[in-house]
């Protein structure tokens, strides 16, 4: 129910007293509302849903997760080879 | 795209699937709650990579599918009014009410507009002070903050010609309803990652303990879904039942405190009727008293509406994971995307639509499920 | 390009009902707006019908109507669409496009300047495609009934020698080629649609494809069919072929060229690039032994620089288009019902 995609904050400003910004989604930019992430800085990544930034994406955690998955995956590759080999 | 592409790689997904195959020694039934997860699973064909032992059933995490028929009929009646500009997410446009859908209302002259964000609807209200702008505020907790902020800003900025037709539902009560239903087969949940990004994870330990089901907070990309499934299967194999976060880059245990603060201010918990399921106590939100003037149900008196659900529709059973869409007698016959009987066939992430679109496809010689 | 209003038209800065009524206002519109833009002898004869020389081969005939909102979008307008759309229909049939007619349905209140700009774009597109707009018509509808400007174009061309194309001609083993990046047009238009706007360098890919088709048809024998994937996107075009030839088609998701910006815009709005409209791309299905040569011919042409082999026809699952996804699972590539709508779920 929740199509939220990662975007990089490229601009932050205020409009009618609300914290707004522009995010870059892989080459496409759109205005988003940053009211729910008052600490988010330009250059950081966030998940955006229906025009609102709802969660900060943590780069270090993402890298950690990928590393763990890749390791899990290594074990999987060996099994895959066993099965098909 | 960063933070997406890395989690979509084919080789990584296949290796994770191999791990799942190795981990599962007995049959297990898992439910992914979120319609977006259902869509992703079927769109990538992830369920084909799973071993026979692991069965995925699809949950009621489709706010479009569970919006009560009466509310859809109210939306249609409001949208048909000449003074109204009716704004909605695209998802709702083809959902059948008791006889029409919003598309048909537009064809008949209603001013129905698709927007990306409720803030777009608010802007329209500011630009057209002579019209009444109504926004169809559907959603699970992920969309709550957006809908709440639109109403809050309307009040702050005195935009009197704006109102919202609210259909906000909550995931944990729905999960509990599934677990408590007689004949429930679900043994573990993949909790909706973006709901948890907003609300945090505190609602799930009681469920895990009371019912003995693992709950793994899971994302939406192939690697996320497969790692969520793997973690759930490992817990099941070890006889464990606790809450795990497999979507750590986006979800913190406490969620988004600022969002929860505004949600608590603008909404209050209420009993809600779920289309196809019935009333689940304290499972939805309505506007709190201080914001009730922006409630479109209050502002527009559309009278008592006679609703009529098709007797052939089994959406409710599908939403609770009790029936797979192809098992429904009407699937592909009376009920198709062109002639949907219920919302699960219309919504882009309704299970029936997903099965119809993507088919249960086995390449070697057999034909896909789409009739 | 700036459009300056010719003196006799300046009394009426917007279209009025009279412009479609066949009287003086209509005549002035034809003489001072359409004629100067489309300049050619057949049109200037101003008869009720254009008299044209006989074609040097089988006549190919096609019609299409063009409706787009907004009228002007990044990379084009309804004008270029109206010309290239019909030119491309003729090209997909294997014809050399020759002549077009253009019927305009205009909304009362349409600024004349807007019409002038659209017509200029049509004229430029026609010149670029080497076709002449030889006859036409204008009608005006009351305000609130027309979305500004609808254009219907009908085109005639002559079939190239040795060409025998049909969507029913595809056989198992035939190779599917795509001429380039899909989804550009639909997303470029979406980027300026009210309520959904986003900033992007994306432009519509609207262009004539007849010279690209000619390049592919240099060796016409092995070419089964050409199809331009317009509304409904790549998926719809593939569906038509699968159905009419009663073969299965299997395409590789990772082989289909999609620009990163199109992918990103689709992610943002929850759309599938394979269902998004194109206005300057084609699919070619060719016999397997000729596939590499056809690909090379496409890549040598400016409109086919990014051409790729995306899949092939199979005897399995006749009538069904299957997609091998990024994780190497296979699923049905469906055809959308109606318009693809942005979603949040």
């Amino acid at each position: 129910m929740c199509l939220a995609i990662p975007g990089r904050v490229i601009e932050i400003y205020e409009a009618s007293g609300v914290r707004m910004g522009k995010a870059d989604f892989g080459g496409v930019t759109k205005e988003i509302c940053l009211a729910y992430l008052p600490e988010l800085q330009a250059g950081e990544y966030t998940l955006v849903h229906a025009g609102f930034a709802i969660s900060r994406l943590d780069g270090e955690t993402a890298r950690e997760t990928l590393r763990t998955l890749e390791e899990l995956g290594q074990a999987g590759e060996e099994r895959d080879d066993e099965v098909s080999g | 795209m960063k933070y997406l592409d890395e989690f979509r790689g084919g080789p990584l997904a296949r290796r994770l699937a191999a791990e799942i195959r190795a981990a599962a020694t007995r049959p297990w039934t898992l439910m992914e709650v979120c319609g977006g997860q259902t869509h992703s699973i079927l769109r990538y064909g992830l369920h084909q990579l799973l071993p026979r032992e692991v069965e995925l059933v699809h949950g009621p995490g489709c706010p479009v599918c569970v919006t009560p028929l009466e509310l859809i009929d109210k939306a249609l009646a409001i949208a048909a009014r000449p003074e109204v500009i009716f704004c909605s997410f695209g998802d709702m446009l083809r959902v059948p009410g008791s006889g029409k859908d919003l598309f048909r209302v537009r064809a008949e002259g209603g001013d129905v507009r698709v927007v990306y964000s409720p803030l777009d609807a608010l802007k329209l209200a500011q630009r057209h002070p002579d019209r009444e702008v109504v926004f169809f505020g559907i959603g699970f907790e992920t969309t709550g903050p957006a809908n709440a902020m639109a109403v809050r800003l309307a009040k702050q900025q005195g935009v009197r010609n704006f109102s919202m037709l609210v259909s906000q539902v909550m995931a944990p009560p729905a999960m509990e309803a599934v677990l408590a239903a007689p004949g429930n087969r679900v043994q573990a949940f993949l909790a909706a990652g973006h709901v948890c990004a907003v609300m945090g994870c505190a609602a799930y330990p009681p469920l895990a303990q009371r019912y003995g089901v693992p709950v793994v907070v899971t994302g939406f990309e192939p690697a996320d879904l497969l790692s969520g499934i793997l973690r759930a299967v490992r817990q099941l194999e070890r006889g464990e039942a606790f809450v795990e976060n497999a979507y750590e880059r986006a979800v913190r245990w406490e969620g988004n405190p600022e969002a929860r603060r505004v949600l608590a201010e603008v909404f209050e918990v209420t009993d809600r009727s779920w289309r196809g399921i019935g009333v689940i106590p304290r499972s939805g939100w309505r506007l709190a008293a201080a914001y009730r003037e922006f409630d479109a149900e209050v502002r527009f008196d559309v009278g008592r509406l006679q609703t009529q659900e098709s007797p052939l529709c089994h959406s409710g059973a599908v939403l609770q994971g009790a029936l797979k869409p192809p098992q429904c007698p009407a699937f592909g016959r009376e009920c198709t995307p062109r002639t949907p009987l219920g919302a699960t066939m219309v919504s882009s992430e309704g299970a029936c639509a997903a099965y119809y679109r993507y088919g249960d496809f086995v390449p070697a010689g057999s034909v896909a499920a789409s009739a | 390009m700036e459009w300056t209003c010719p003196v006799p038209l300046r009394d009426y800065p917007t279209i009025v009902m009279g412009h479609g009524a066949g009287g003086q206002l209509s005549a002035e519109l034809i003489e001072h707006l359409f004629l100067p833009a489309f300049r050619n002898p057949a049109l200037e004869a101003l008869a009720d019908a254009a008299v044209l020389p006989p074609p040097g081969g089988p006549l190919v005939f096609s019609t299409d109507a063009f409706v787009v909102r907004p009228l002007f979008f990044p990379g084009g307008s309804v004008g270029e669409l109206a010309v290239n759309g019909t030119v491309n229909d003729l090209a997909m049939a294997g014809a050399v496009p020759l002549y077009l007619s253009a019927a305009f349905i205009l909304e009362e209140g349409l600024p004349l300047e807007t019409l002038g700009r659209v017509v200029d774009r049509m004229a430029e597109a026609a010149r670029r495609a080497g076709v002449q707009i030889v006859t036409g018509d204008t009608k005006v509808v009351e305000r609130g009934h027309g979305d500004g400007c609808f254009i219907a174009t009908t085109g005639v061309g002559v079939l190239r020698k040795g060409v025998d194309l049909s969507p029913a001609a595809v056989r198992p083993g035939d190779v599917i080629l795509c001429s380039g990046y899909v989804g550009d047009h639909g997303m470029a238009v979406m980027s300026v649609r009210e309520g959904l706007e986003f900033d992007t360098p994306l432009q519509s890919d609207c262009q004539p494809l007849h010279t690209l088709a000619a390049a592919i048809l240099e060796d016409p024998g092995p070419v089964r069919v050409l199809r331009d994937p317009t509304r409904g996107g790549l998926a719809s075009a593939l569906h038509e072929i699968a159905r009419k030839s009663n073969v299965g088609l299997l395409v590789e998701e990772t082989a289909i060229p999609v620009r990163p910006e199109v992918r990103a815009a689709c992610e943002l709005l929850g759309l599938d690039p394979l269902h998004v409209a194109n206005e300057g791309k084609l699919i070619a299905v060719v016999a397997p032994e000729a596939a590499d040569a056809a690909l090379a011919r496409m890549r040598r042409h400016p409109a086919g620089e990014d051409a790729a082999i995306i899949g092939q026809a199979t005897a399995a699952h006749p009538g069904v288009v299957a997609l091998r996804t990024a994780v190497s699972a296979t699923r049905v590539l469906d055809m959308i019902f109606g318009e693809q709508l942005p979603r949040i779920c």
Side-chain angles (χ1 to χ4, degrees), chain B residues 37-354:
Chain B
Q37 292 168 327
T38 309
H39 183 101
S40 193
I41 288 165
L42 290 167
R43 171 243 181 282
Y44 282 103
L46 298 179
H47 58 309
Q48 288 170 33
L49 304 180
L50 299 176
R52 220 189 316 271
E53 288 82 3
V54 178
E55 189 195 355
L56 278 180
V57 297
H58 313 297
C62 169
V64 174
C65 306
V66 302
T67 295
L69 187 57
E70 198 185 336
L71 201 63
I72 308 256
D73 287 346
K74 282 191 182 166
L76 299 175
I78 293 171
R81 291 166 83 123
E83 76 275 22
V84 169
I85 301 178
F86 194 86
C87 300
S88 174
F89 296 122
D91 314 61
M92 291 309 289
L93 251 64
R94 255 192 285 273
V95 178
S98 288
K100 304 185 196 184
D101 54 34
L102 283 169
F103 246 137
R104 179 91 79 81
V105 170
R106 188 162 76 180
E108 291 170 359
D111 193 343
V112 177
R113 306 195 196 183
V114 172
V115 294
Y116 162 72
S117 169
L119 292 185
D120 298 325
L122 188 60
K123 277 193 208 135
L124 271 176
Q126 288 164 319
R127 271 211 299 275
H128 299 278
D130 54 322
R131 307 282 295 283
E132 276 288 325
V133 175
V134 181
F135 181 71
F136 206 169
I138 62 147
F140 270 80
E141 296 96 320
T142 318
T143 318
N147 292 338
M149 185 61 73
V151 175
R152 191 165 188 258
L153 288 174
K155 181 166 179 164
Q156 262 171 26
Q157 295 169 12
V159 186
R160 312 225 67 83
N161 58 323
F162 177 80
S163 62
M164 190 173 290
L165 192 62
V166 177
S167 180
Q168 288 278 164
V169 280
M170 296 161 69
M175 291 160 73
E176 176 145 32
V178 166
L179 290 170
N184 166 55
R185 298 184 303 122
V186 174
Q187 296 162 306
F189 278 110
L190 302 182
H194 292 152
V195 167
C196 296
V198 172
M199 301 301 287
C201 310
Y204 303 107
L207 276 181
Q209 281 154 34
R210 197 177 317 141
Y211 295 90
V213 288
V215 177
V216 182
V217 178
T218 304
F220 296 76
E221 301 312 314
D224 295 316
L225 286 159
L226 290 167
S227 77
I229 293 167
L230 177 61
R231 295 210 204 189
V233 168
R234 282 187 173 161
Q235 282 200 42
L236 288 167
E237 290 281 331
R238 291 189 301 251
E240 292 165 341
F242 60 95
V243 180
E244 251 189 281
N245 183 359
Y247 194 26
E248 286 179 290
R249 65 185 183 279
V251 177
R252 269 112 243 152
W253 188 268
E254 67 278 11
N256 182 324
E258 183 57 24
R260 293 170 61 199
R261 191 183 67 75
V262 173
L263 285 170
E265 180 192 310
V266 176
F267 289 120
E268 61 189 25
V269 177
T270 180
D271 298 343
R272 263 233 170 256
S273 174
W274 293 55
R275 186 173 184 178
I277 297 176
V279 175
I280 303 179
R282 299 183 59 74
S283 64
W285 294 333
R286 64 175 177 193
L287 288 171
Y291 291 92
R292 198 68 55 73
E293 67 192 287
F294 293 97
D295 188 339
E297 280 191 89
V298 170
R299 192 176 293 195
F300 296 92
D301 179 17
V302 286
R304 285 261 67 194
L305 294 165
Q306 273 296 90
T307 60
Q308 184 155 49
E309 200 75 87
S310 164
L312 298 174
C313 178
H314 290 83
S315 287
V318 170
L319 286 166
Q320 294 180 84
L323 192 71
K324 282 256 170 70
Q327 295 168 320
C328 169
F331 179 79
R333 295 183 192 82
E334 296 91 341
C335 189
T336 66
R338 181 186 291 271
T339 53
L341 296 183
T344 45
M345 181 55 92
V346 173
S347 165
S348 56
E349 34 99 80
C352 300

Side-chain angles (χ1 to χ4, degrees), chain A residues 1-3 5 22 25-30 49, chain C residues 197-199 201 261 264 267-268 270 343-345:
Chain A
M1 66 285 253
C2 325
L3 190 69
I5 63 161
K22 271 220 155 84
F25 304 93
V28 158
T29 63
K30 194 152 167 68
H49 172 76
Chain C
E197 310 97 332
F198 53 91
D199 303 318
E261 295 87 350
E267 293 288 346
L268 187 63
R343 56 189 181 97
I344 56 131
C345 289

Side-chain angles (χ1 to χ4, degrees), chain C residues 21-36:
Chain C
Q24 179 134 357
L25 280 177
S26 297
E28 279 177 12
L29 201 62
I30 294 169
E31 193 168 332
H32 298 290
L33 194 143
F34 293 115
L35 266 192

